[in-house]
């Protein structure tokens, strides 16, 4: 079975986000009244697996081992079967 | 153990795509009498064995384009392809130095800070600079190690060094939930080696640009609990010769060497004492 996963990696609360802050300042320059911007990274992963559960647990492992640094990052996974 | 009285210290300066400080690093080591060579990661995996070397240097650059996070791709490659060899290397008390991107790699491998031993997951991070910019500037560093780190044995405690930094992700941070406790452990273990400071050696206290990236406790370089693994954001190989100093043309007397030399010198001296 083929699956498509989205992994969103974002900075944990309490960590200063220089990229988000820069974007916020640019939006303020454009006269938008924004309070906060937090930037995140999105990874789109296509994989083969026997079931949705095994695909999910594999993507979970990828997120922990490579895509995020547990010290500063949170990750969120969305996964669906594709034909 | 290799006897260094007769043989020159054999140093592996490892590189992958995106490494760009390997030549200067090699030159610094060769100048001090080491038998240093630049070795591509593929060579160390396929042909040459890591155990042939007495010391390993992971130099600066932008390995794998800094994709995902600076240093992480190379770190995983090292763990996956030469992890057991590196473990043996460290068990034989052979030194490992990570400069800039090399420091990021050592943190992502879990070797640094390694408070509880080598961790399967990173236990610290070198996050994006607070300035959101690539910081390329000369800065002052204070040597704070009390004797653990073998790479600064030639330096006196509180000695001030002048070296350049050049990085976008150099903000040393610990898990927020037990930041204070971990920082205290680092200090207690004598793992703090270099801190960003003012010209007179007084602490930068997080002030920009003396602390160029927002690192906690102004940390610029740390070692592992054994002192044979050392990572630092500044570039000693770019402050090796006197003519690399930014103001060298206006100096009355041009020194032959600059402050970075002492890092490499200390590393090589380690073999004399073994």
């Amino acid at each position: 079975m083929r699956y498509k996963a989205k992994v969103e990696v974002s900075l944990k609360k309490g960590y200063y986000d220089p990229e988000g802050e820069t974007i916020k300042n640019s939006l303020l320059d454009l006269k938008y009244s924004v309070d906060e911007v937090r930037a995140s990274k999105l990874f789109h992963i296509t994989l083969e697996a026997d079931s949705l559960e095994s695909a999910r647990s594999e993507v979970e492992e990828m997120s922990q081992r490579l895509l995020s640094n547990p010290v500063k990052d949170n990750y969120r996974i969305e996964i669906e079967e594709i034909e | 153990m290799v006897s260094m009285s007769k043989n020159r210290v054999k140093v592996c300066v490892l590189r992958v795509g995106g490494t760009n400080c390997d030549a200067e690093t090699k030159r610094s080591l060769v100048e001090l009498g080491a038998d240093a060579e630049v070795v591509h990661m593929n060579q160390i995996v396929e042909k040459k064995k890591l155990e042939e070397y007495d010391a390993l240097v992971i130099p600066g650059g932008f390995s794998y384009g800094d994709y995902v996070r600076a240093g992480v791709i190379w770190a995983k490659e090292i763990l996956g392809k030469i992890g057991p060899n590196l473990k043996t290397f460290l068990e034989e008390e052979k030194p490992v130095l990570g400069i800039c991107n090399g420091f990021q790699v050592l943190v992502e491998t879990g070797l640094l800070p390694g408070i509880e031993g080598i961790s399967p997951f990173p236990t610290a991070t070198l996050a994006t600079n607070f300035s959101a910019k690539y910081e390329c500037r000369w800065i002052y560093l204070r040597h704070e190690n009390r004797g653990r780190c073998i790479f600064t044995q030639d330096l006196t405690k509180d000695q001030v060094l002048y070296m350049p930094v050049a990085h976008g992700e150099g903000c040393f941070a610990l898990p927020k939930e037990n930041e204070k406790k971990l920082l205290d452990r680092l200090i207690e273990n004598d793992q703090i080696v270099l801190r960003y400071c003012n010209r007179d050696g007084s602490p930068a206290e997080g002030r920009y640009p003396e602390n160029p990236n927002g690192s906690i406790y102004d940390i610029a370089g740390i070692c592992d609990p054994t002192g044979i693994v050392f990572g630092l954001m500044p570039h000693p190989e770019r402050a090796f010769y006197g003519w690399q100093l930014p103001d060298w043309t206006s100096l009355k007397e041009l020194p032959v060497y600059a402050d970075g030399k002492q890092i490499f010198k200390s590393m090589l001296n380690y073999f004399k004492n073994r």
Side-chain angles (χ1 to χ4, degrees), chain B residues 142-160:
Chain B
R142 194 171 75 219
H143 174 237
E144 294 229 343
N145 205 249
R146 305 187 295 270
R148 169 94 54 200
C149 181
I150 66 127
F151 297 86
T152 56
Q153 293 288 327
D154 276 16
L155 301 172
T156 54
K157 172 94 168 53
D158 298 328
Q159 188 175 333
V160 176

Side-chain angles (χ1 to χ4, degrees), chain A residues 2 12 15 18 26 30-31 43 58-59 71 83:
Chain A
R2 272 160 66 79
K12 284 181 181 172
Y15 284 90
S26 183
L30 293 169
K31 309 291 177 215
F43 300 93
E58 205 157 310
V59 173
V71 174
E83 24 80 47

Side-chain angles (χ1 to χ4, degrees), chain B residues 185-203:
Chain B
R185 290 279 305 276
L186 285 179
I187 298 167
E188 202 180 296
N189 283 356
D190 197 17
Q191 288 183 251
I192 311 282
V193 184
L194 298 171
R195 291 176 68 195
Y196 301 111
C197 67
N198 299 311
R199 193 177 188 153
D200 63 5
S202 58

Side-chain angles (χ1 to χ4, degrees), chain A residues 9 11-22 41 43 61 63-73, chain B residues 66-69 72-73 76 107-108 121-132 173-177 179:
Chain A
V9 177
L11 271 179
K12 284 181 181 172
K13 246 183 153 176
Y15 284 90
Y16 180 64
D17 179 5
E19 187 180 357
E21 203 60 21
T22 307
K41 245 181 194 178
F43 300 93
E61 209 179 291
S63 308
Q64 288 174 2
R65 293 184 64 194
L66 179 71
L67 304 177
S68 74
N69 178 324
V71 174
K72 67 173 171 78
D73 299 319
Chain B
D66 280 353
Y67 295 150
V68 183
R69 283 185 308 286
V72 68
I73 307 265
K76 299 300 164 180
V107 167
E108 286 290 345
F121 297 109
T123 54
T125 182
L126 287 156
T128 305
N129 297 344
F130 275 16
S131 63
L174 295 160
K176 289 278 179 225
E177 52 276 19
E179 189 176 65

Side-chain angles (χ1 to χ4, degrees), chain B residues 106-121:
Chain B
L106 292 177
V107 167
E108 286 290 345
T109 55
L111 249 62
L112 286 177
I115 297 176
E116 308 285 354
I118 301 170
S119 158
F121 297 109

Side-chain angles (χ1 to χ4, degrees), chain B residues 3-258:
Chain B
S3 160
M4 288 309 130
S5 49
K6 287 174 196 151
N7 306 321
R8 290 198 297 162
V9 180
K10 212 164 173 227
V11 187
C12 171
V13 179
L14 201 58
R15 67 159 292 135
V16 291
T19 301
N20 66 6
C21 300
D22 45 324
E24 301 94 311
T25 305
K26 178 189 165 178
R27 181 164 172 180
S28 302
L29 288 158
V30 169
E31 171 80 11
L32 296 173
D35 175 12
E37 57 179 339
V38 174
V39 187
H40 193 277
M41 189 68 200
N42 293 346
Q43 287 177 292
I44 209 99
V45 174
E46 289 157 22
K47 298 175 203 143
K48 302 205 176 190
K49 293 191 177 77
L50 185 64
E51 28 288 36
E52 286 175 13
Y53 298 92
D54 304 312
L56 171 68
V57 183
I58 305 176
F62 303 84
S63 57
Y64 298 108
D66 280 353
Y67 295 150
V68 183
R69 283 185 308 286
V72 68
I73 307 265
W74 196 3
K76 299 300 164 180
E77 187 180 17
I78 288 174
L79 292 177
K81 293 180 181 169
I82 56 165
N85 312 61
L86 184 59
K87 195 167 169 271
T88 312
F89 199 83
L90 291 168
E91 280 163 4
E92 290 173 357
E93 296 178 353
K94 291 176 172 178
V96 176
L97 171 63
I99 303 166
C100 193
N101 188 222
F103 184 18
Q104 294 162 336
V105 169
L106 292 177
V107 167
E108 286 290 345
T109 55
L111 249 62
L112 286 177
I115 297 176
E116 308 285 354
I118 301 170
S119 158
F121 297 109
T123 54
T125 182
L126 287 156
T128 305
N129 297 344
F130 275 16
S131 63
K133 284 191 296 184
Y134 183 80
E135 292 293 337
C136 186
R137 61 176 79 246
W138 283 73
I139 42 91
Y140 293 95
L141 301 158
R142 194 171 75 219
H143 174 237
E144 294 229 343
N145 205 249
R146 305 187 295 270
R148 169 94 54 200
C149 181
I150 66 127
F151 297 86
T152 56
Q153 293 288 327
D154 276 16
L155 301 172
T156 54
K157 172 94 168 53
D158 298 328
Q159 188 175 333
V160 176
L161 304 175
Y162 192 40
M163 271 189 226
V165 290
H167 58 252
E169 296 172 47
C171 174
F172 185 82
L174 295 160
K176 289 278 179 225
E177 52 276 19
N178 45 7
E179 189 176 65
K180 174 83 179 73
K181 206 177 115 213
L182 290 167
L183 182 60
D184 287 344
R185 290 279 305 276
L186 285 179
I187 298 167
E188 202 180 296
N189 283 356
D190 197 17
Q191 288 183 251
I192 311 282
V193 184
L194 298 171
R195 291 176 68 195
Y196 301 111
C197 67
N198 299 311
R199 193 177 188 153
D200 63 5
S202 58
E205 288 174 339
R207 216 175 26 256
Y208 178 85
E210 286 79 6
N211 174 335
N213 49 38
S215 280
I216 181 175
Y217 196 59
D218 302 319
I219 288 175
I222 55 162
C223 66
D224 75 331
T226 68
I228 59 160
V229 181
F230 175 42
L232 75 166
M233 287 316 295
H235 285 273
E237 81 286 4
R238 293 190 194 177
F240 186 83
Y241 293 104
W243 47 258
Q244 287 174 304
L245 289 165
D247 53 349
W248 73 277
T249 50
S250 55
L251 292 175
K252 279 193 193 109
E253 257 180 84
L254 182 64
V256 179
Y257 298 109

